[in-house]
mmCIF file of all heavy atoms in Angstrom:
data_model
loop_
_atom_site.group_PDB
_atom_site.id
_atom_site.type_symbol
_atom_site.label_atom_id
_atom_site.label_comp_id
_atom_site.label_asym_id
_atom_site.label_seq_id
_atom_site.Cartn_x
_atom_site.Cartn_y
_atom_site.Cartn_z
ATOM 1 N N GLN A 128 7.752 -12.284 12.919
ATOM 2 C CA GLN A 128 8.798 -11.303 13.217
ATOM 3 C C GLN A 128 8.275 -10.184 14.128
ATOM 4 O O GLN A 128 9.026 -9.651 14.951
ATOM 5 C CB GLN A 128 9.374 -10.704 11.928
ATOM 6 C CG GLN A 128 10.066 -11.724 11.039
ATOM 7 C CD GLN A 128 11.199 -12.431 11.751
ATOM 8 O OE1 GLN A 128 12.102 -11.809 12.310
ATOM 9 N NE2 GLN A 128 11.149 -13.757 11.763
ATOM 10 N N ILE A 159 17.540 -6.421 18.667
ATOM 11 C CA ILE A 159 16.711 -7.359 17.899
ATOM 12 C C ILE A 159 17.274 -7.501 16.489
ATOM 13 O O ILE A 159 17.529 -6.504 15.810
ATOM 14 C CB ILE A 159 15.253 -6.841 17.806
ATOM 15 C CG1 ILE A 159 14.677 -6.621 19.204
ATOM 16 C CG2 ILE A 159 14.380 -7.801 17.004
ATOM 17 C CD1 ILE A 159 13.414 -5.797 19.231
ATOM 18 N N PHE A 160 17.476 -8.730 16.063
ATOM 19 C CA PHE A 160 17.911 -8.985 14.690
ATOM 20 C C PHE A 160 16.757 -9.610 13.916
ATOM 21 O O PHE A 160 16.308 -10.697 14.248
ATOM 22 C CB PHE A 160 19.142 -9.891 14.660
ATOM 23 C CG PHE A 160 19.854 -9.832 13.347
ATOM 24 C CD1 PHE A 160 20.994 -9.054 13.192
ATOM 25 C CD2 PHE A 160 19.362 -10.520 12.251
ATOM 26 C CE1 PHE A 160 21.635 -8.970 11.963
ATOM 27 C CE2 PHE A 160 19.990 -10.440 11.012
ATOM 28 C CZ PHE A 160 21.131 -9.666 10.869
ATOM 29 N N MET A 161 16.252 -8.916 12.903
ATOM 30 C CA MET A 161 15.125 -9.428 12.128
ATOM 31 C C MET A 161 15.600 -10.501 11.150
ATOM 32 O O MET A 161 16.564 -10.298 10.431
ATOM 33 C CB MET A 161 14.478 -8.290 11.318
ATOM 34 C CG MET A 161 14.164 -7.049 12.131
ATOM 35 S SD MET A 161 12.884 -7.346 13.320
ATOM 36 C CE MET A 161 11.523 -7.432 12.205
ATOM 37 N N ASP A 162 14.892 -11.630 11.109
ATOM 38 C CA ASP A 162 15.277 -12.727 10.206
ATOM 39 C C ASP A 162 14.911 -12.422 8.757
ATOM 40 O O ASP A 162 15.565 -12.898 7.839
ATOM 41 C CB ASP A 162 14.574 -14.026 10.625
ATOM 42 C CG ASP A 162 14.937 -14.409 12.047
ATOM 43 O OD1 ASP A 162 16.129 -14.365 12.373
ATOM 44 O OD2 ASP A 162 14.018 -14.723 12.831
ATOM 45 N N VAL A 163 13.810 -11.686 8.565
ATOM 46 C CA VAL A 163 13.457 -11.236 7.212
ATOM 47 C C VAL A 163 13.209 -9.739 7.278
ATOM 48 O O VAL A 163 12.877 -9.200 8.334
ATOM 49 C CB VAL A 163 12.186 -11.936 6.659
ATOM 50 C CG1 VAL A 163 12.386 -13.418 6.481
ATOM 51 C CG2 VAL A 163 10.987 -11.684 7.551
ATOM 52 N N ALA A 168 6.729 -5.514 10.582
ATOM 53 C CA ALA A 168 7.381 -5.845 11.846
ATOM 54 C C ALA A 168 8.281 -4.698 12.302
ATOM 55 O O ALA A 168 8.308 -4.339 13.478
ATOM 56 C CB ALA A 168 8.179 -7.143 11.696
ATOM 57 N N THR A 169 9.012 -4.102 11.365
ATOM 58 C CA THR A 169 9.895 -2.986 11.725
ATOM 59 C C THR A 169 9.081 -1.863 12.365
ATOM 60 O O THR A 169 9.432 -1.331 13.427
ATOM 61 C CB THR A 169 10.638 -2.460 10.476
ATOM 62 O OG1 THR A 169 11.392 -3.525 9.897
ATOM 63 C CG2 THR A 169 11.572 -1.310 10.826
ATOM 64 N N ILE A 172 7.434 -2.905 15.889
ATOM 65 C CA ILE A 172 8.410 -2.958 16.988
ATOM 66 C C ILE A 172 8.879 -1.547 17.346
ATOM 67 O O ILE A 172 9.031 -1.197 18.518
ATOM 68 C CB ILE A 172 9.596 -3.868 16.599
ATOM 69 C CG1 ILE A 172 9.103 -5.304 16.382
ATOM 70 C CG2 ILE A 172 10.697 -3.826 17.651
ATOM 71 C CD1 ILE A 172 10.086 -6.191 15.646
ATOM 72 N N ILE A 185 17.079 -2.205 16.296
ATOM 73 C CA ILE A 185 16.499 -3.144 15.326
ATOM 74 C C ILE A 185 17.490 -3.286 14.170
ATOM 75 O O ILE A 185 17.767 -2.312 13.468
ATOM 76 C CB ILE A 185 15.156 -2.650 14.767
ATOM 77 C CG1 ILE A 185 14.177 -2.302 15.899
ATOM 78 C CG2 ILE A 185 14.532 -3.700 13.838
ATOM 79 C CD1 ILE A 185 12.858 -1.694 15.411
ATOM 80 N N GLU A 186 18.034 -4.484 13.999
ATOM 81 C CA GLU A 186 18.964 -4.726 12.892
ATOM 82 C C GLU A 186 18.220 -5.421 11.753
ATOM 83 O O GLU A 186 17.267 -6.152 11.983
ATOM 84 C CB GLU A 186 20.110 -5.640 13.352
ATOM 85 C CG GLU A 186 20.802 -5.140 14.602
ATOM 86 C CD GLU A 186 22.249 -4.777 14.392
ATOM 87 O OE1 GLU A 186 22.660 -4.503 13.244
ATOM 88 O OE2 GLU A 186 22.980 -4.770 15.401
ATOM 89 N N ASN A 187 18.693 -5.204 10.534
ATOM 90 C CA ASN A 187 18.044 -5.744 9.330
ATOM 91 C C ASN A 187 16.616 -5.178 9.215
ATOM 92 O O ASN A 187 15.684 -5.883 8.833
ATOM 93 C CB ASN A 187 18.033 -7.282 9.357
ATOM 94 C CG ASN A 187 17.810 -7.878 7.985
ATOM 95 O OD1 ASN A 187 18.125 -7.259 6.969
ATOM 96 N ND2 ASN A 187 17.246 -9.081 7.943
#
Side-chain angles (χ1 to χ4, degrees):
Q128 297 302 307
I159 303 165
F160 198 100
M161 310 293 287
D162 301 314
V163 296
T169 302
I172 297 164
I185 307 175
E186 307 244 22
N187 199 26

